[in-house]
Amino acid sequence: MKLKRYLWITILTITVLLGIILPGRTQEYTSSNTLFQTSTISAFSIGIYEGNTSFKELKKSGNFGLGTVNYLDEEMIGLDGKFYQVKSDGVASVIPDSMTSPFATVTFFKPQTLINLEGQINYKQLQESLDQRLPSKNYPYAIRIKGNFPYLKFRSVPKQTPPYRPLVDVVKEQSIFFELRNVNGTLVGFRTPEYMQGVNVNGYHFHFITANRTTGGHILDGQFKNAKVELDSLSNVEINLPKTAEFSKADLADSKPAEVNRVKR
């Protein structure tokens, strides 16, 4: 009886200690190889531009990423733990923690692979070259490219108001384009496998921000010279679906993810 009592006391003590010691969800204890996203590209594509995930919450799941803010209010870039919003005038600013996002993809970036691409190549060649060198095409990858870029073309869109139109229509009719030459900065991006179509933008998706954090946007084209590409392979995927009436009632079968991929890539 004394032995049984001792065992129960020991188990209880260990349980209490674990409850005290084990932390909540913080950067230190969040898996570094997890792709976390809020909502899905299917929901976003049909005009669900309001979410309830704050940037304070996003920071618990990543210090690196891309997406947008509520009302499709331009492009979002996450880099080194800070999140930036690039508005339709091309000006970048830090996003307050209280602001929310309808669609975002983030991770705690820890590069595992470095790929050197010698010479000058365009955006299509960049993607083709990376595809040839990926360890596997079956995992998502977070991708960072830092340096000086001979030429970049990128896009933003203006803030939307209800009733919201599908993303494809907004991009086709309201896109605002920017071009920069010989610019220093960072490409923040992801490559997701084709089987994730409808969940995220399959293939490559990049946003850009300048070294001085003053401008950027969604990359459409560019020239890359002697690019040094850092890859972080991600084996876990976590999705936080919006807790909104719009998402609950949406017919996501009509989202046409293949068409969205064409405008987002």
Side-chain angles (χ1 to χ4, degrees), residues 33-98:
N33 65 340
T34 297
L35 181 150
F36 175 88
Q37 68 178 69
T38 177
S39 193
T40 67
I41 195 64
S42 292
F44 186 57
S45 69
I46 63 173
I48 300 180
Y49 300 146
E50 296 184 41
N52 48 23
T53 300
S54 70
F55 280 86
K56 181 178 181 179
E57 290 300 313
L58 274 179
K59 287 179 179 179
K60 296 178 182 179
S61 298
N63 58 6
F64 174 98
L66 51 75
T68 187
V69 300
N70 268 6
Y71 321 115
L72 189 57
D73 195 5
E74 333 308 349
E75 309 295 337
M76 181 275 281
I77 304 101
L79 184 62
D80 299 328
K82 292 186 178 180
F83 290 83
Y84 302 87
Q85 177 185 17
V86 180
K87 292 203 169 187
S88 55
D89 59 3
V91 177
S93 60
V94 176
I95 298 174
D97 284 351
S98 59

Coordinates of all heavy atoms in Angstrom, one line a residue, residues 33-98:
N33 N 9.6 24.0 -38.6 CA 9.3 23.5 -40.0 C 7.8 23.4 -40.3 O 7.3 22.5 -41.0 CB 10.0 22.1 -40.2 CG 9.4 21.0 -39.4 OD1 8.8 21.3 -38.4 ND2 9.6 19.8 -39.8
T34 N 7.1 24.4 -39.7 CA 5.6 24.4 -39.9 C 5.2 25.6 -40.8 O 5.6 26.7 -40.6 CB 4.9 24.5 -38.6 OG1 5.2 23.3 -37.8 CG2 3.4 24.6 -38.7
L35 N 4.4 25.3 -41.8 CA 3.8 26.3 -42.6 C 2.4 26.6 -42.0 O 1.6 25.7 -41.9 CB 3.6 25.8 -44.1 CG 3.0 26.8 -45.1 CD1 3.5 26.6 -46.5 CD2 1.4 26.7 -45.1
F36 N 2.2 27.8 -41.5 CA 1.0 28.2 -40.9 C 0.3 29.1 -41.8 O 0.9 30.1 -42.3 CB 1.2 28.8 -39.5 CG 0.0 29.3 -38.9 CD1 -0.8 28.5 -38.1 CD2 -0.5 30.6 -39.1 CE1 -2.0 29.0 -37.5 CE2 -1.6 31.1 -38.5 CZ -2.4 30.3 -37.7
Q37 N -1.0 28.9 -42.0 CA -1.8 29.9 -42.8 C -3.1 30.1 -42.2 O -3.7 29.3 -41.5 CB -1.9 29.4 -44.3 CG -2.8 28.2 -44.5 CD -2.9 27.9 -46.0 OE1 -1.9 27.5 -46.6 NE2 -4.0 28.1 -46.6
T38 N -3.6 31.3 -42.5 CA -5.0 31.7 -42.1 C -5.8 31.7 -43.3 O -5.5 32.3 -44.3 CB -5.0 33.0 -41.3 OG1 -6.4 33.4 -41.0 CG2 -4.4 34.2 -42.1
S39 N -6.9 31.0 -43.2 CA -7.9 30.8 -44.3 C -7.3 29.9 -45.5 O -6.2 29.4 -45.3 CB -8.4 32.1 -44.9 OG -9.6 31.9 -45.7
T40 N -7.9 29.9 -46.6 CA -7.4 29.2 -47.8 C -7.5 30.0 -49.0 O -8.3 31.0 -49.0 CB -8.3 27.9 -48.0 OG1 -9.6 28.3 -48.4 CG2 -8.3 27.0 -46.8
I41 N -6.8 29.7 -50.0 CA -6.8 30.5 -51.2 C -8.2 30.4 -51.9 O -8.6 31.3 -52.6 CB -5.7 30.1 -52.2 CG1 -5.5 31.2 -53.3 CG2 -5.9 28.7 -52.8 CD1 -5.1 32.5 -52.8
S42 N -8.9 29.2 -51.7 CA -10.2 29.1 -52.3 C -11.2 30.1 -51.7 O -12.0 30.7 -52.4 CB -10.7 27.6 -52.0 OG -10.0 26.7 -52.7
A43 N -11.1 30.2 -50.4 CA -12.0 31.2 -49.7 C -11.7 32.6 -50.1 O -12.5 33.5 -50.4 CB -12.0 31.0 -48.2
F44 N -10.4 32.9 -50.1 CA -9.9 34.2 -50.5 C -10.3 34.6 -51.9 O -10.6 35.8 -52.2 CB -8.4 34.3 -50.3 CG -7.8 35.6 -50.4 CD1 -8.2 36.7 -49.7 CD2 -6.7 35.8 -51.3 CE1 -7.6 37.9 -49.8 CE2 -6.1 37.0 -51.5 CZ -6.6 38.1 -50.7
S45 N -10.2 33.7 -52.8 CA -10.4 33.9 -54.2 C -11.8 34.3 -54.5 O -12.1 35.0 -55.5 CB -10.0 32.7 -55.0 OG -11.0 31.7 -54.8
I46 N -12.8 33.9 -53.7 CA -14.2 34.2 -54.0 C -14.7 35.5 -53.3 O -15.8 35.9 -53.4 CB -15.2 33.1 -53.7 CG1 -15.2 32.8 -52.2 CG2 -14.8 31.9 -54.5 CD1 -16.2 31.8 -51.8
G47 N -13.7 36.2 -52.6 CA -14.0 37.5 -52.0 C -14.2 37.5 -50.5 O -14.8 38.4 -50.0
I48 N -13.7 36.5 -49.8 CA -13.8 36.5 -48.4 C -12.5 37.3 -47.9 O -11.5 36.7 -47.6 CB -13.9 35.1 -47.8 CG1 -15.1 34.4 -48.3 CG2 -13.9 35.1 -46.3 CD1 -15.3 33.0 -47.8
Y49 N -12.7 38.6 -47.9 CA -11.6 39.5 -47.6 C -11.5 40.0 -46.1 O -10.8 40.9 -45.8 CB -11.6 40.7 -48.5 CG -11.6 40.4 -50.0 CD1 -12.3 41.1 -50.9 CD2 -10.8 39.3 -50.5 CE1 -12.2 40.8 -52.3 CE2 -10.7 39.0 -51.8 CZ -11.4 39.8 -52.7 OH -11.4 39.5 -54.1
E50 N -12.3 39.3 -45.3 CA -12.3 39.7 -43.9 C -12.1 38.5 -43.0 O -12.8 37.5 -43.2 CB -13.6 40.4 -43.5 CG -13.9 41.7 -44.2 CD -15.1 42.4 -43.7 OE1 -15.4 42.4 -42.5 OE2 -15.9 42.9 -44.6
G51 N -11.0 38.5 -42.2 CA -10.7 37.4 -41.3 C -10.6 37.9 -39.9 O -10.8 39.1 -39.6
N52 N -10.4 37.0 -39.0 CA -10.3 37.4 -37.6 C -9.0 37.0 -36.9 O -8.9 36.9 -35.7 CB -11.5 36.9 -36.8 CG -11.8 35.5 -37.0 OD1 -10.9 34.7 -37.4 ND2 -13.0 35.1 -36.8
T53 N -7.9 36.7 -37.7 CA -6.6 36.4 -37.2 C -5.8 37.7 -37.2 O -5.5 38.3 -38.2 CB -5.9 35.3 -38.0 OG1 -6.7 34.1 -38.1 CG2 -4.5 35.0 -37.5
S54 N -5.4 38.1 -36.0 CA -4.7 39.4 -35.8 C -3.2 39.1 -36.1 O -2.7 38.0 -36.1 CB -4.8 39.9 -34.4 OG -4.1 39.1 -33.5
F55 N -2.5 40.1 -36.4 CA -1.0 40.0 -36.6 C -0.3 39.7 -35.3 O 0.8 39.1 -35.4 CB -0.5 41.2 -37.3 CG -0.7 41.2 -38.8 CD1 -1.9 41.7 -39.3 CD2 0.2 40.7 -39.7 CE1 -2.2 41.7 -40.7 CE2 -0.1 40.6 -41.0 CZ -1.2 41.1 -41.5
K56 N -0.9 40.0 -34.2 CA -0.3 39.6 -32.9 C -0.3 38.0 -32.9 O 0.6 37.4 -32.4 CB -1.1 40.2 -31.8 CG -0.6 39.8 -30.4 CD -1.4 40.4 -29.3 CE -0.8 40.1 -27.9 NZ -1.6 40.7 -26.8
E57 N -1.4 37.4 -33.3 CA -1.5 36.0 -33.3 C -0.6 35.4 -34.4 O 0.0 34.3 -34.2 CB -3.0 35.6 -33.6 CG -3.9 35.8 -32.4 CD -3.5 35.1 -31.2 OE1 -3.2 33.9 -31.3 OE2 -3.4 35.7 -30.1
L58 N -0.5 36.0 -35.6 CA 0.3 35.5 -36.6 C 1.8 35.4 -36.2 O 2.5 34.5 -36.5 CB 0.2 36.4 -37.9 CG -0.9 36.1 -38.9 CD1 -0.8 37.1 -40.0 CD2 -0.8 34.7 -39.4
K59 N 2.2 36.4 -35.4 CA 3.6 36.4 -34.9 C 3.9 35.2 -34.0 O 5.1 34.8 -33.9 CB 3.9 37.7 -34.2 CG 4.0 38.9 -35.1 CD 4.2 40.2 -34.3 CE 4.4 41.4 -35.2 NZ 4.6 42.6 -34.5
K60 N 2.9 34.6 -33.4 CA 3.1 33.4 -32.6 C 3.4 32.2 -33.5 O 3.9 31.2 -33.0 CB 1.9 33.1 -31.8 CG 1.6 34.2 -30.7 CD 0.4 33.9 -29.9 CE 0.0 34.9 -28.9 NZ -1.2 34.6 -28.2
S61 N 3.1 32.3 -34.8 CA 3.3 31.2 -35.7 C 4.3 31.4 -36.8 O 4.6 30.5 -37.6 CB 1.9 30.9 -36.4 OG 0.9 30.5 -35.5
G62 N 4.9 32.6 -36.8 CA 5.9 32.8 -37.8 C 6.5 34.2 -37.8 O 5.9 35.2 -37.3
N63 N 7.8 34.3 -38.2 CA 8.4 35.6 -38.3 C 8.8 36.0 -39.8 O 9.5 36.9 -40.0 CB 9.7 35.6 -37.5 CG 10.7 34.5 -37.9 OD1 10.5 33.8 -38.9 ND2 11.8 34.4 -37.2
F64 N 8.2 35.2 -40.7 CA 8.5 35.3 -42.1 C 7.3 34.9 -42.9 O 6.7 33.9 -42.6 CB 9.7 34.4 -42.4 CG 10.1 34.2 -43.9 CD1 11.2 35.0 -44.4 CD2 9.4 33.4 -44.7 CE1 11.6 34.8 -45.7 CE2 9.8 33.2 -46.0 CZ 10.9 34.0 -46.5
G65 N 6.9 35.7 -43.9 CA 5.7 35.3 -44.7 C 5.2 36.3 -45.6 O 5.7 37.4 -45.8
L66 N 4.0 36.0 -46.1 CA 3.3 36.9 -47.0 C 1.8 36.7 -47.0 O 1.3 35.8 -46.4 CB 3.8 36.7 -48.5 CG 3.8 35.3 -49.1 CD1 2.5 34.9 -49.5 CD2 4.8 35.3 -50.3
G67 N 1.1 37.7 -47.6 CA -0.4 37.6 -47.6 C -0.9 39.0 -47.8 O -0.4 39.8 -48.6
T68 N -2.0 39.3 -47.1 CA -2.7 40.6 -47.2 C -3.3 40.9 -45.9 O -3.2 40.2 -44.9 CB -3.7 40.6 -48.4 OG1 -4.2 41.9 -48.5 CG2 -4.9 39.7 -48.1
V69 N -3.9 42.1 -45.8 CA -4.7 42.5 -44.6 C -6.1 42.6 -45.0 O -6.5 42.5 -46.1 CB -4.1 43.8 -44.0 CG1 -2.7 43.7 -43.7 CG2 -4.3 44.9 -45.0
N70 N -7.0 42.8 -43.9 CA -8.4 42.8 -44.2 C -8.8 43.8 -45.2 O -8.2 44.9 -45.4 CB -9.2 43.1 -42.9 CG -9.5 41.8 -42.1 OD1 -9.2 40.7 -42.5 ND2 -10.3 42.0 -41.1
Y71 N -9.9 43.4 -46.0 CA -10.4 44.2 -47.1 C -9.5 44.1 -48.3 O -9.6 45.0 -49.2 CB -10.7 45.6 -46.7 CG -11.3 45.8 -45.3 CD1 -10.6 46.4 -44.3 CD2 -12.5 45.2 -45.0 CE1 -11.1 46.5 -43.0 CE2 -13.0 45.3 -43.7 CZ -12.3 45.9 -42.7 OH -12.8 46.0 -41.4
L72 N -8.6 43.2 -48.4 CA -7.7 43.1 -49.5 C -6.9 44.4 -49.6 O -6.7 44.9 -50.7 CB -8.4 42.7 -50.8 CG -7.5 42.4 -52.0 CD1 -6.6 41.2 -51.8 CD2 -8.4 42.1 -53.2
D73 N -6.5 44.9 -48.5 CA -5.9 46.2 -48.4 C -4.4 46.1 -48.7 O -3.5 46.2 -47.8 CB -6.1 46.9 -47.1 CG -5.8 48.4 -47.1 OD1 -5.5 48.9 -48.2 OD2 -5.9 49.0 -46.0
E74 N -4.1 45.8 -50.0 CA -2.7 45.7 -50.5 C -2.0 44.4 -50.1 O -2.5 43.5 -49.6 CB -1.9 47.0 -50.2 CG -2.7 48.2 -50.0 CD -3.7 48.6 -51.1 OE1 -3.7 48.0 -52.2 OE2 -4.5 49.5 -50.8
E75 N -0.6 44.5 -50.3 CA 0.2 43.3 -50.1 C 0.9 43.4 -48.7 O 1.2 44.4 -48.2 CB 1.3 43.3 -51.2 CG 0.8 43.4 -52.6 CD -0.1 42.3 -53.0 OE1 0.1 41.2 -52.4 OE2 -0.9 42.5 -53.9
M76 N 1.1 42.2 -48.2 CA 1.8 42.0 -46.8 C 3.1 41.2 -47.0 O 3.1 40.2 -47.7 CB 0.8 41.3 -45.9 CG 1.4 41.1 -44.5 SD 2.5 39.6 -44.3 CE 1.2 38.4 -44.1
I77 N 4.1 41.7 -46.3 CA 5.4 41.0 -46.3 C 5.8 40.9 -44.8 O 5.8 41.9 -44.1 CB 6.5 41.7 -47.1 CG1 6.0 42.0 -48.5 CG2 7.8 41.0 -47.0 CD1 5.5 43.4 -48.8
G78 N 6.2 39.6 -44.4 CA 6.7 39.4 -43.1 C 8.2 39.1 -43.2 O 8.6 38.1 -43.9
L79 N 9.1 39.8 -42.5 CA 10.5 39.6 -42.6 C 11.1 39.9 -41.2 O 10.9 41.0 -40.7 CB 11.1 40.4 -43.7 CG 12.6 40.3 -44.0 CD1 12.9 38.8 -44.4 CD2 13.0 41.3 -45.1
D80 N 11.9 39.0 -40.7 CA 12.7 39.2 -39.5 C 11.8 39.6 -38.3 O 12.1 40.5 -37.5 CB 13.8 40.3 -39.7 CG 14.8 39.9 -40.7 OD1 15.1 38.7 -40.9 OD2 15.3 40.8 -41.4
G81 N 10.6 39.0 -38.3 CA 9.7 39.3 -37.2 C 8.8 40.5 -37.3 O 8.0 40.7 -36.4
K82 N 9.0 41.3 -38.4 CA 8.1 42.5 -38.6 C 7.3 42.3 -39.8 O 7.7 41.6 -40.8 CB 9.0 43.7 -38.7 CG 9.7 44.1 -37.4 CD 10.4 45.5 -37.6 CE 11.1 45.9 -36.3 NZ 11.8 47.2 -36.4
F83 N 6.1 42.8 -39.8 CA 5.1 42.7 -40.9 C 4.8 44.0 -41.5 O 4.6 45.0 -40.7 CB 3.8 42.0 -40.4 CG 4.0 40.5 -40.1 CD1 4.5 40.1 -38.8 CD2 3.8 39.6 -41.0 CE1 4.7 38.8 -38.5 CE2 3.9 38.2 -40.7 CZ 4.4 37.8 -39.5
Y84 N 4.9 44.1 -42.8 CA 4.8 45.3 -43.5 C 3.6 45.3 -44.5 O 3.3 44.2 -45.1 CB 6.0 45.7 -44.3 CG 7.3 45.7 -43.5 CD1 8.0 44.6 -43.2 CD2 7.7 46.9 -42.9 CE1 9.2 44.7 -42.4 CE2 8.9 47.0 -42.1 CZ 9.6 45.9 -41.9 OH 10.7 45.9 -41.1
Q85 N 2.9 46.4 -44.6 CA 1.8 46.6 -45.6 C 2.3 47.5 -46.7 O 2.8 48.6 -46.4 CB 0.6 47.1 -44.9 CG -0.6 47.4 -45.8 CD -1.7 48.1 -45.0 OE1 -1.5 48.6 -43.9 NE2 -2.9 48.1 -45.5
V86 N 2.2 47.1 -48.0 CA 2.5 48.0 -49.1 C 1.2 48.4 -49.7 O 0.5 47.5 -50.3 CB 3.4 47.3 -50.1 CG1 3.7 48.2 -51.3 CG2 4.7 46.8 -49.4
K87 N 0.8 49.6 -49.6 CA -0.4 50.1 -50.2 C -0.3 50.4 -51.7 O 0.7 50.3 -52.3 CB -0.9 51.4 -49.4 CG -1.3 51.1 -48.0 CD -2.2 52.1 -47.4 CE -2.8 51.6 -46.1 NZ -3.9 52.6 -45.6
S88 N -1.5 50.8 -52.3 CA -1.5 50.9 -53.7 C -0.7 52.1 -54.2 O -0.4 52.2 -55.4 CB -2.9 51.1 -54.2 OG -3.6 52.2 -53.5
D89 N -0.2 53.0 -53.3 CA 0.7 54.0 -53.7 C 2.2 53.6 -53.6 O 3.1 54.3 -53.9 CB 0.5 55.3 -52.8 CG 0.8 55.0 -51.3 OD1 1.1 53.9 -51.0 OD2 0.6 55.9 -50.5
G90 N 2.4 52.3 -53.3 CA 3.7 51.7 -53.2 C 4.5 51.9 -51.9 O 5.6 51.5 -51.8
V91 N 3.9 52.6 -51.0 CA 4.5 53.0 -49.7 C 4.3 51.8 -48.7 O 3.2 51.4 -48.5 CB 4.0 54.3 -49.2 CG1 4.7 54.6 -47.8 CG2 4.3 55.4 -50.1
A92 N 5.4 51.4 -48.1 CA 5.4 50.3 -47.1 C 5.4 50.9 -45.7 O 6.0 51.9 -45.4 CB 6.6 49.4 -47.3
S93 N 4.6 50.3 -44.8 CA 4.6 50.7 -43.4 C 4.4 49.5 -42.5 O 3.9 48.4 -43.0 CB 3.4 51.7 -43.2 OG 2.2 51.1 -43.5
V94 N 4.8 49.6 -41.3 CA 4.7 48.5 -40.3 C 3.2 48.3 -39.9 O 2.5 49.2 -39.7 CB 5.5 48.8 -39.0 CG1 5.3 47.7 -38.0 CG2 7.0 48.9 -39.4
I95 N 2.8 47.0 -39.9 CA 1.4 46.7 -39.6 C 1.2 46.6 -38.1 O 2.0 45.9 -37.4 CB 1.0 45.3 -40.2 CG1 1.1 45.4 -41.8 CG2 -0.4 44.9 -39.8 CD1 0.9 44.1 -42.5
P96 N 0.2 47.2 -37.5 CA 0.0 47.1 -36.1 C -0.5 45.7 -35.7 O -1.1 45.0 -36.5 CB -1.2 48.1 -35.8 CG -1.2 49.0 -37.0 CD -0.7 48.2 -38.2
D97 N -0.2 45.3 -34.5 CA -0.6 43.9 -34.0 C -2.1 43.7 -34.1 O -2.5 42.6 -34.2 CB 0.0 43.7 -32.6 CG 1.5 43.4 -32.6 OD1 2.1 43.2 -33.6 OD2 2.0 43.4 -31.5
S98 N -2.8 44.8 -33.9 CA -4.3 44.7 -33.8 C -4.9 44.5 -35.1 O -6.1 44.0 -35.2 CB -4.9 45.9 -33.2 OG -4.5 47.1 -33.9

